[in-house]
Amino acid sequence: MKRSNAPGTLQDEDQGDAKKRIVVLASGRGSNFQAILDALSEGSIHGTCVRLISDVPGCYAIERAKYSRVPVTVVDYRAFSSKSDYEKALLFAMKECCPDLVVLAGYMRILGNDIVRSFHGKIMNIHPALLPSFPGLHAQRQAIGYGVKVAGCTVHFVDEMMDSGPIILQKCVPVLPDDDEDLLSERILHEEHRCYPYAVKLFCEDRLKIEGRTVRVL
Ligand code: GAR
């Protein structure tokens, strides 16, 4: 629906089809962030990236945001004397954006419970493993070390536990005999860049319904 300024005419918001406000949190290179930015600029996601928040000054995700004219807030973890103070500042920065959706795109810290509860059902994460296998750091290394034949990525909602929230999408890739961590990571990342924008698209179309541990795609 097009916006209209005519008196008494319903606008986007009134029709419930306003673009979703997306805030991205990233700590590093930001290739998943870029995949989402690309999908947004192609118009395949009904949303707007209103801000990138990063805990790492100078990370490459910030360059990507600047290039796409996405406003940036840096909440530098090292500038705070405690995790709790950092989390308060981060929560404040997030709330200021009034997000419909918070996307963790290589955000390498565990979100505190206050933040998770403040945005219940509105925070997504991508993890480079088929959860619940290999949560935590170095998932691809864990997969190689365990000798699995199939690996992949998982997009999930975030709950109070690490890498444990309801699963939205998963995509698998083979683990080949000569794989090392880098080769497997690259193969998984290729799928991440397809999965994550698609999950964000579904959210922005109100097509994800959480029922207990199950996420239904409508
Ligand atoms: C991605 O592989 C993502 O799945 C992983 O970090 C990488 C970030 O890459 N996230 C985690 O391991 C979170 N537990 P990117 O910065 O290029 O998107």
Side-chain angles (χ1 to χ4, degrees):
M1 153 121 355
K2 290 263 189 297
R3 287 183 75 92
S4 163
N5 292 324
T9 310
L10 289 174
Q11 296 191 339
D12 288 354
E13 289 80 356
D14 305 313
Q15 292 291 300
D17 63 356
K19 285 187 174 180
K20 299 281 194 240
R21 295 173 62 81
I22 302 167
V23 169
V24 175
L25 268 61
S27 308
R29 119 194 106 172
S31 70
N32 277 290
F33 173 41
Q34 186 67 56
I36 291 164
L37 286 174
D38 291 347
L40 285 165
S41 73
E42 284 160 13
S44 53
I45 297 176
H46 194 58
T48 309
C49 185
V50 294
R51 189 160 291 269
L52 170 76
I53 302 177
S54 180
D55 57 324
V56 179
C59 73
Y60 194 61
I62 294 174
E63 296 306 311
R64 296 182 192 272
K66 287 182 178 162
Y67 188 79
S68 293
R69 297 204 163 86
V70 171
V72 176
T73 298
V74 175
V75 185
D76 182 357
Y77 183 83
R78 295 166 308 177
F80 295 87
S81 51
S82 68
K83 178 168 174 15
S84 145
D85 284 352
Y86 165 74
E87 290 275 324
K88 276 186 199 141
L90 179 59
L91 180 57
F92 182 80
M94 290 166 78
K95 279 188 169 166
E96 262 193 333
C97 307
C98 304
D100 297 301
L101 175 65
V102 176
V103 171
L104 307 186
Y107 176 71
M108 299 312 272
R109 298 188 184 282
I110 296 170
L111 282 181
N113 286 344
D114 281 352
I115 293 181
V116 173
R117 286 178 196 139
S118 296
F119 298 99
H120 179 74
K122 294 180 174 183
I123 308 178
M124 270 185 199
N125 181 42
I126 190 156
H127 183 73
L130 296 173
L131 292 171
S133 295
F134 313 128
L137 289 176
H138 308 300
Q140 305 94 328
R141 192 184 303 170
Q142 294 182 57
I144 297 261
Y146 202 89
V148 294
K149 304 295 186 201
V150 176
C153 60
T154 303
V155 182
H156 63 94
F157 283 112
V158 171
D159 67 8
E160 283 92 340
M161 312 272 281
M162 188 180 62
D163 297 329
S164 85
I167 290 172
I168 301 165
L169 293 174
Q170 291 188 299
K171 194 81 187 173
C172 54
V173 301
V175 181
L176 302 178
D178 292 331
D179 273 353
D180 59 15
E181 186 181 348
D182 288 344
L183 279 171
L184 180 60
S185 299
E186 204 176 304
R187 198 173 303 121
I188 294 172
L189 194 64
H190 182 74
E191 294 304 330
E192 292 184 41
H193 293 165
R194 292 148 52 106
C195 264
Y196 216 3
Y198 187 59
V200 172
K201 170 187 168 69
L202 290 172
F203 183 95
C204 290
E205 292 172 3
D206 294 318
R207 290 173 61 197
L208 298 178
K209 187 164 180 233
I210 305 174
E211 292 176 357
R213 277 220 53 89
T214 303
V215 179
R216 299 216 177 279
V217 179
L218 307 175

